[in-house]
Amino acid sequence: MLSHEVNESMTRVGRGTPAGELLRRYWQPVAAEAELADDNPKLRIRALGEDLVLFRDGSGRLGLVEEQCCHRSASLFYGFVEDDGIRCPYHGWKYDCTGACIEQPFEPKDSTLKDRVKQRAYPVETLGGMVWAYMGPAPAPLLPRWGQLLREDGVRGIYVQPVLECNWLQVMENSVDPCHTYYLHAHTLMLKGKGNYGAYYYRPIEKMHFEIVEEPNWVGVRKQRIYGGDKAEEEEGHPVIFPNYLLSPQREHIVMHMRLPVDDTHTKVFRYQFTPTVDGSRVEQPVPVPVAYMPPIKDADGAYHMDNFASHDGMAWETQGPITDRARENLGTTDAGIALYRRLLRDQIKRVQDGKDPLGLIRDPQLNEYIDIPVSTGQARVAREGGSVSA
Ligand code: FES
Ligand SMILES: [Fe+2]
């Protein structure tokens, strides 16, 4: 059970809030590169409670600027993308990718006003087909080079989920809550006559292990399930990568769930999927990485259809409330992973408040050549064998 004050400090993401300041120390996934169309390369982005516009100028540079123009606050989303920046649709002020104002068409020629104003802008980088933003204080750490983004022995795709109507921490806590898979996923699908889809999880969980992992180039919580019954198995485990990623085996795929805190009560999930070739052979990688949009988790009448994992999880997270009230919960032994994750989160908030880097930031390029994070292989084996581990 947590006090209202602690709950607020762990969940709110705005500038100046404890968790908001922590999350701003890490690069955040804001879009798939393929979402920036060639003929209209701009996107409206909401991240950490801030309204932003992502654009690619005519020279191929990416910019991420505050949506409201610093002149008189019209939206730059309706602006004109030009060779060297984006021009506001209202009076034509133009900003480059760093937010510098480079033109004010109707100010006097000798005016210094444009040198005295600046549009808020954030550094952006691309890697693995994703666009990443750094919204914290300079100097930015290195963008992590996870193997999931770099490896070439398979096929990758980015699947964007409909924006969830709940706080980011509910989504993350689910990822250190491994016994939820039995009823929420496997049992639900079994009752719907789709048992094969959840069969891997339809086994008695005998034990669960959790540990905080602290490597030089990432931190997180690794969880491991030990299944009993006639299909007993000890998983190798798979991790939450702090602060807002899950790396998870899903049948023959390895999926990195990238959870962007949109604002206090909305979360956007990019499901970054990699499917390794069985023999380890290299695959030609399309540029940009293809992107697709996942279907709604609810029916037209607003009820969760509960036909797939995304709908199950979305139901659980959203029905906990926009920001769940952790003062009313009663944690059990199965919630040990949640306790570990919260401790990690609170410790990192404290480090930032003390003026230190939180754990998991990378500033040494040698630690960032290729970050390999292993995951359980049981699901891939089951998929190769033709499906079910459970009767
Ligand atoms: S409001 Fe943008 S140029 Fe005036
Ligand atoms: Fe789940």
Side-chain angles (χ1 to χ4, degrees):
M1 187 177 118
L2 292 176
S3 70
H4 176 71
E5 188 191 358
V6 171
N7 199 29
E8 291 282 296
S9 75
M10 293 195 314
T11 52
R12 302 252 174 213
V13 301
R15 185 166 285 281
T17 61
E21 287 304 310
L22 171 69
L23 290 162
R24 280 169 174 74
R25 263 53 177 192
Y26 299 85
W27 287 88
Q28 295 293 336
V30 294
E33 254 186 299
E35 293 183 284
L36 276 169
D38 285 341
D39 56 348
N40 190 23
K42 56 188 178 181
L43 281 177
R44 189 182 251 139
I45 305 278
R46 188 161 163 78
L48 303 179
E50 299 186 32
D51 290 311
L52 307 166
V53 176
L54 175 69
F55 66 96
R56 182 170 43 227
D57 73 14
S59 309
R61 289 171 296 226
L62 288 178
L64 183 65
V65 292
E66 186 177 357
E67 178 170 356
Q68 287 194 292
C69 177
C70 72
H71 176 217
R72 289 210 294 116
S73 300
S75 168
L76 293 180
F77 179 68
Y78 295 93
F80 312 104
V81 175
E82 301 187 0
D83 273 353
D84 51 356
I86 189 163
R87 188 185 293 281
C88 179
Y90 201 2
H91 314 97
W93 289 20
K94 182 155 74 169
Y95 305 99
D96 72 10
C97 290
T98 70
C101 185
I102 54 175
E103 219 182 292
Q104 293 170 334
F106 307 106
E107 289 297 309
K109 285 249 174 316
D110 57 353
S111 166
T112 59
L113 177 61
K114 72 174 165 27
D115 306 322
R116 289 182 281 120
V117 300
K118 188 163 192 312
Q119 186 70 7
R120 188 192 286 271
Y122 296 115
V124 277
E125 286 190 23
T126 57
L127 187 65
M130 291 294 297
V131 180
W132 308 82
Y134 179 72
M135 298 169 68
L142 299 172
L143 175 62
R145 292 172 59 80
W146 292 307
Q148 180 83 354
L149 304 172
L150 298 171
R151 57 191 287 190
E152 299 200 330
D153 58 328
V155 176
R156 51 170 47 79
I158 299 167
Y159 299 87
V160 185
Q161 289 187 214
V163 172
L164 290 156
E165 296 183 357
C166 67
N167 180 259
W168 71 285
L169 187 55
Q170 279 144 246
V171 185
M172 289 313 299
E173 288 184 339
N174 170 271
S175 297
V176 280
D177 176 12
C179 75
H180 84 270
T181 49
Y182 187 90
Y183 281 103
L184 184 65
H185 298 312
H187 191 62
T188 300
L189 290 171
M190 193 60 75
L191 293 182
K192 281 176 159 272
K194 298 176 163 187
N196 201 39
Y197 291 101
Y200 180 85
Y201 296 112
Y202 215 34
R203 294 182 283 176
I205 299 173
E206 279 198 340
K207 266 197 224 141
M208 291 183 287
H209 290 310
F210 304 95
E211 58 171 347
I212 290 187
V213 181
E214 221 181 293
E215 299 287 347
N217 48 12
W218 69 280
V219 294
V221 177
R222 181 179 295 280
K223 64 191 179 187
Q224 185 193 20
R225 276 174 288 237
I226 297 165
Y227 292 109
D230 59 346
K231 308 270 185 182
E233 180 177 9
E234 187 165 325
E235 290 185 330
E236 294 105 307
H238 61 273
V240 157
I241 302 168
F242 190 82
N244 51 332
Y245 304 88
L246 166 70
L247 187 64
S248 168
Q250 286 174 225
R251 298 182 67 83
E252 66 270 45
H253 317 295
I254 300 169
V255 182
M256 183 176 262
H257 295 250
M258 305 172 170
R259 281 91 178 242
L260 171 68
V262 170
D263 56 28
D264 289 342
T265 55
H266 295 88
T267 305
K268 185 167 183 173
V269 179
F270 298 92
R271 199 174 169 283
Y272 190 100
Q273 180 172 297
F274 185 82
T275 313
T277 51
V278 175
D279 59 1
S281 56
R282 202 181 156 277
V283 175
E284 196 64 40
Q285 301 295 316
V287 178
V289 176
V291 65
Y293 295 91
M294 293 177 68
I297 60 174
K298 292 180 181 174
D299 286 333
D301 63 3
Y304 300 95
H305 54 67
M306 303 296 279
D307 284 337
N308 55 32
F309 279 45
S311 182
H312 307 157
D313 284 320
M315 179 283 294
W317 305 336
E318 290 185 347
T319 58
Q320 287 178 303
I323 300 180
T324 198
D325 178 5
R326 291 175 176 79
R328 68 185 300 281
E329 63 189 13
N330 295 286
L331 299 187
T333 52
T334 58
D335 298 308
I338 289 173
L340 278 187
Y341 180 86
R342 288 181 187 174
R343 191 200 306 160
L344 192 57
L345 175 59
R346 291 174 70 174
D347 286 351
Q348 304 325 301
I349 286 174
K350 177 81 169 51
R351 286 178 72 95
V352 170
Q353 289 172 336
D354 291 345
K356 298 181 192 149
D357 264 355
L359 295 181
L361 295 194
I362 312 165
R363 298 200 184 271
D364 176 355
Q366 286 191 340
L367 293 173
N368 198 33
E369 281 165 17
Y370 185 96
I371 304 171
D372 185 28
I373 303 177
V375 296
S376 300
T377 53
Q379 289 212 15
R381 189 200 64 243
V382 168
R384 273 201 307 279
E385 287 166 0
S388 174
V389 288
S390 182

